[in-house]
């Protein structure tokens, strides 16, 4: 059964019992700061489970795109872990519970194929339940009819679910299929997880947990008021079983990539091993890794992620690089992604048409990353070669751990390539040392993550405030000032009743006019005041979507909970922010008008007077193109287009073509901001001007690259744009003064001056060459123990290359039958060098140029017996070198 058909049946089965089919969210998890990617079907429903938002339906079903970075090391080695995978699930929000959820899952798995099910043999299915969950065990046994010996009870670590923080929790129950004795030992899921393949996990949320660490170290506080169901079935795992293949990398949506990779690398998949994934040959593991990672990268880029050195972008970069590396290690050296990604696209487009629609961009981003990585590898290989030859020259047989680590850490050069290249040259690598350095680095990273977790404690405090007082009455769209009441004060994560002068404290108000940082727009600045109290608002953030928190510095007086304060946004600041945010939309529209619709914004930032916008594009904009974009933007400003905002259902917004940011999650209702009607139409929660003329001039100040396939354009707006242009004008006037020219002549003048300077430099070089030739002609050798010796100091400014030419010319002037040695010193900008040339007669007598140089320069220098040089001498010491050479000859 094809994967798409399994999906269809799953959704149909649950739709038939009243579940609303909810689409997958994009892979980037946007509402949880502790999660980079969605890793389970339930993630998008968390606010419903936590009771923060009333669910619009009591039952839902979905096929969720998931990514689990911790599973990356399992890929290819087990038969059942993908980095990207799809989780199908059904969810109940306070509606049905165990008694329905269990038979619903069982029926779908075991109903005959002809009746819409998956047709699994009930005798091959095993289930696990939580140790104390008699209720679930009973349903499995009595209602469903699973024999007691195939119902396994397991402890909290395996069969009890929570989100790791206080909130809902509950027992879980998993369904496994026995793949038979070929796949491992008998004895159920506790014995062999590759033979007994976990297909489906059912979570029964019924208790509330308290604070505590780990999977078991927390108290259960009591029953939840409303009990929920959250289940997740691994689509790829079911597909692998139903398609009769051994692992997820061989199912219809993945196998074509693997096959293409095998063709490219000339490896025959499965030539060495049978189906037990855990004992696979490295060649087969690599092919599976390639297939998994290429597909994962496709899905990630399609959802708006671009490679970078942090966060989500870093995960993508690692995945792409692992794939490319695996291809290389398998023996294919040319760019591989252009061969593999189109195959992945064709395999996935059936279920995800967007990967075909967005493919141009996906290809741009990924192919550019491969190019970058290939040059990294090239650069790394050169550095590694030097390190290896140094090691050998010093008589070593092992590359030092720190060299391997440096290559890995600084240059992104993978350790397995280091090992391979070293081995080719007959050297080993201090691998244990390398691992130790890696472990040390991981420890540091973990400490960072730990530090970030303390943010969790804060969040729990603010959760409490939200639970107690409800959402903030947020008035940023309608007013700049409100009379408000202080609901809570939080200092360093702890609630407090008072704050005094100098304190930096977080304040929650019942109502606020302050704009919280979001959608790229900087938070508002302003003040909180009361009689005798003055406090400056330095930052404003929004938590849980509905609670506005102000970071405040108390300048005067005391703040306390319950106090009445006047909250006032700095009107100038807000005007600047509105100009900048509307300016961002105008610039975005102008970019798309000039470059075409693929120039899509991927991120932005704006604050009063300044904005920057990142957009998908390859290569720098030509100056004319940049000028044209700026022109279109300023024409739109001059046209004073009306700016309007209205809230509408997401479906309607899509229908009228409002631009949504890649990778952002939007609610049911969205705010659409229009400038000049459809000229610019974007989903946006920011504050804007009323007409585009209020933006003031828009001056583009820079355009640069911020990663593969992503450009950044920066601009000033309003009075800042005036100031920027005025500064430029002043600069031109200054230059005009210096060049005694009119401002419009400055460009030509600079060009002329540069040309004159070049010409003058050339003339100086010719003069110096003539001078050298004259001196050379006049030079006469002295006799040092029967050798004709000519020592000469070249004029200041002579380069080492010129000195070499001079030394050779002087040597040619010496009588060939007599031993002859020439030494030339040169100095330029305080650095001196020595060149020695030796003729054939002297060489026959045992004199060597490189030898002489090294003896004079204490071992430094390079070259051969006829001509050699050394540098790094202080300029004022070069005179001594000539006598030193003479002394060497005499001895
Ligand atoms: P395992 O122990 O096999 O790693 P899990 O306990 O991590 O699985 P859950 O978190 O319960 O899995 O996820 C629900 C279902 O999603 C699993 O029953 C499985 O079918 C599927 N699943 C989990 N991780 C992956 C993965 N990396 N690749 C493919 N499917 C997965
Ligand atoms: Mg797992």
């Amino acid at each position: 059964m094809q994967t798409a058909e399994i999906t269809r049946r799953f959704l149909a089965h649950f739709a038939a019992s009243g579940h609303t089919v909810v689409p997958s969210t994009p892979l980037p998890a946007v509402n949880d700061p502790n999660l980079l990617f969605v890793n389970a079907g339930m993630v998008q429903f968390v606010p419903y489970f936590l009771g923060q938002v009333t669910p619009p339906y009591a039952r839902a079903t979905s096929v969720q795109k998931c990514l689990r970075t911790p599973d990356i090391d399992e890929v290819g080695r087990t038969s059942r872990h993908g980095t990207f995978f799809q989780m199908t699930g059904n969810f109940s929000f306070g509606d049905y519970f165990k008694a329905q959820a269990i038979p619903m899952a069982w029926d779908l798995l075991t109903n005959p194929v002809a009746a819409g099910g998956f047709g699994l043999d009930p005798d091959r299915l095993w289930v696990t339940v939580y140790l104390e969950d008699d209720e679930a065990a009973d349903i499995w046994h009595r209602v469903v009819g699973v024999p007691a010996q195939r119902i396994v009870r397991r402890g909290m670590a395996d069969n009890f679910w929570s989100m790791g923080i206080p909130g809902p929790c509950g027992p879980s129950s998993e369904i496994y299929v026995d793949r038979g004795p070929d796949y491992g030992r008998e004895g159920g899921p506790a014995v062999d997880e590759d033979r007994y393949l976990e297909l489906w996990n059912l979570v029964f949320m019924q208790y509330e947990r308290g604070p505590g660490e780990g999977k078991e170290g927390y108290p259960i506080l009591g029953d939840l008021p409303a009990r929920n169901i959250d289940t997740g079935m691994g689509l790829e795992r079911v597909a692998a079983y139903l398609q009769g293949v051994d692992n997820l990398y061989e199912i219809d949506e993945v196998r074509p990539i693997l096959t293409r990779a095998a063709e490219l690398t000339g490896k025959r998949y499965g030539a060495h091993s049978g189906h037990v994934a855990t004992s696979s040959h490295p060649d087969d593991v690599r092919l599976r890794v390639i297939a998994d990672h290429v597909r994962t990268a496709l899905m990630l880029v399609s959802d708006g992620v671009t490679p970078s050195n942090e966060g989500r972008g870093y995960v993508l970069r690692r995945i792409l690089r692992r794939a490319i590396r695996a291809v290389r290690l398998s023996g294919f050296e040319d760019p591989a992604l252009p061969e593999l990604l189109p195959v992945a696209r064709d395999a996935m487009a059936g279920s995800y048409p967007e990967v075909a629609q967005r493919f141009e961009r996906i290809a741009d981003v990924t192919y550019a990353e491969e190019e970058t990585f290939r040059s990294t590898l090239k650069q790394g290989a050169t550095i590694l070669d030097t390190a290896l030859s140094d090691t050998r020259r010093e008589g070593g047989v092992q590359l030092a751990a720190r060299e391997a680590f440096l290559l890995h850490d600084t240059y992104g050069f993978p350790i397995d390539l280091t090992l391979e290249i070293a081995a080719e040259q007959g050297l080993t690598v201090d691998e244990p040392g390398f691992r130790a350095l890696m472990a040390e680095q991981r420890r540091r990273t973990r400490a960072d993550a730990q530090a970030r977790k303390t943010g969790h404690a804060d969040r729990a405090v603010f959760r409490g405030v939200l639970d107690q007082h409800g959402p903030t009455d947020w008035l940023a769209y309608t007013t700049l000032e409100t009379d408000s009441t202080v609901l809570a004060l939080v200092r360093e994560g702890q609630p407090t009743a008072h704050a005094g002068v100098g304190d930096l404290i977080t304040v929650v108000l019942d109502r606020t006019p302050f704009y919280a940082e979001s959608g790229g727009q900087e938070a508002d600045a302003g003040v909180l005041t009361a009689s005798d109290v003055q406090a400056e608002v330095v930052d404003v953030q929004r938590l849980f979507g509905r609670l506005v928190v102000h970071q405040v510095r108390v300048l005067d007086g005391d703040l306390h909970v319950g106090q009445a304060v006047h909250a006032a946004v700095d009107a100038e600041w807000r005007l600047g922010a509105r100009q900048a945010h509307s300016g961002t939309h105008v610039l975005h529209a102008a970019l798309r008008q000039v470059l075409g619709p693929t120039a899509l914004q991927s991120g932005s930032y704006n604050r009063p007077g300044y904005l920057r916008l990142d957009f998908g594009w390859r290569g720098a904009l030509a100056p004319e193109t940049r000028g044209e974009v700026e022109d279109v933007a300023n024409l739109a400003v001059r046209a004073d287009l009306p700016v309007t905002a209205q809230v509408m259902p997401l479906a309607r917004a899509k229908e009228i073509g409002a631009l949504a940011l890649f990778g952002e999650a939007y609610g049911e209702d969205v705010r659409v901001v229009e400038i000049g009607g459809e000229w610019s139409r974007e989903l946006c929660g920011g504050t804007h001007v009323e007409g585009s003329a209020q933006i003031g001039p828009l001056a583009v100040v820079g355009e640069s690259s911020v990663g593969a396939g992503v450009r950044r354009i920066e601009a000033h707006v309003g009075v800042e744009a005036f100031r920027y242009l005025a500064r430029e004008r002043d600069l031109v006037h200054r230059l005009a003064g210096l060049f005694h020219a009119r401002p419009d002549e400055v460009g030509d003048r600079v060009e002329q001056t540069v040309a004159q300077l070049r010409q003058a430099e050339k003339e100086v070089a010719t003069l110096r060459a003539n001078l050298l030739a004259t001196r050379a002609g006049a030079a006469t050798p002295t006799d040092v123990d029967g050798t004709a010796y000519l020592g000469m100091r070249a004029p200041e400014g002579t380069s080492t290359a010129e000195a070499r030419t001079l030394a050779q010319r002087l040597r040619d002037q010496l009588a060939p039958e007599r031993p002859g040695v020439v030494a030339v010193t040169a100095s330029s900008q305080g650095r001196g060098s020595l060149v020695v040339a030796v003729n054939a007669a002297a060489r026959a007598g045992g004199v060597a140029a490189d030898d002489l140089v090294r003896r004079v320069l204490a071992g430094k220098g390079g070259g051969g017996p006829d001509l050699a040089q050394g540098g790094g001498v202080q300029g004022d010491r070069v005179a001594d070198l000539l006598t030193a050479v003479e002394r060497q000859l005499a001895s």
Side-chain angles (χ1 to χ4, degrees), residues 68 71 80-82 85 87 193 198-201 232 234 237:
R68 290 194 178 178
D71 284 349
R80 63 186 201 283
H81 288 102
F85 68 98
M87 198 187 284
E193 296 220 311
E198 177 187 334
L199 298 179
W200 203 336
N201 190 2
R237 294 192 186 176

Side-chain angles (χ1 to χ4, degrees), residues 660-710:
L661 260 188
F662 266 137
E664 283 287 340
Y666 294 98
E668 295 285 298
D669 283 327
V670 294
R671 187 163 176 265
V672 176
V673 172
E674 294 183 346
I675 301 179
E678 63 177 2
W679 187 72
S680 160
R681 187 174 269 161
E682 301 194 21
L683 300 194
C684 177
T687 60
H688 288 271
V689 296
E690 283 121 24
S692 61
Q694 289 168 21
I695 296 169
L698 187 150
V700 172
V701 300
E703 196 263 333
S704 55
S705 163
V706 283
V710 184

Side-chain angles (χ1 to χ4, degrees), residues 850-873:
D850 45 355
D851 198 37
L852 270 175
V853 169
R854 264 189 236 114
R855 269 192 277 153
V856 170
L857 294 180
K860 282 182 287 181
D866 56 337
L867 185 69
Q869 79 269 327
V873 185

Side-chain angles (χ1 to χ4, degrees), residues 39-41 66-68 70-72 74-75 78-88 158 161 172 174-176 193 196-203 215 231-238 248-249 292 295:
N39 59 6
C66 295
L67 196 109
R68 290 194 178 178
D71 284 349
I72 199 168
E74 309 285 349
V75 170
T78 75
S79 58
R80 63 186 201 283
H81 288 102
T83 322
F84 168 82
F85 68 98
Q86 300 156 81
M87 198 187 284
T88 50
D158 291 306
W161 174 92
S172 69
E174 300 150 329
I175 309 172
Y176 291 76
E193 296 220 311
Y196 299 90
L197 183 66
E198 177 187 334
L199 298 179
W200 203 336
N201 190 2
L202 317 180
V203 175
K215 288 196 154 187
T231 87
M233 182 188 91
L235 183 57
E236 284 79 359
R237 294 192 186 176
V238 173
L248 348 155
Y249 324 101
D292 170 86
R295 178 167 95 130

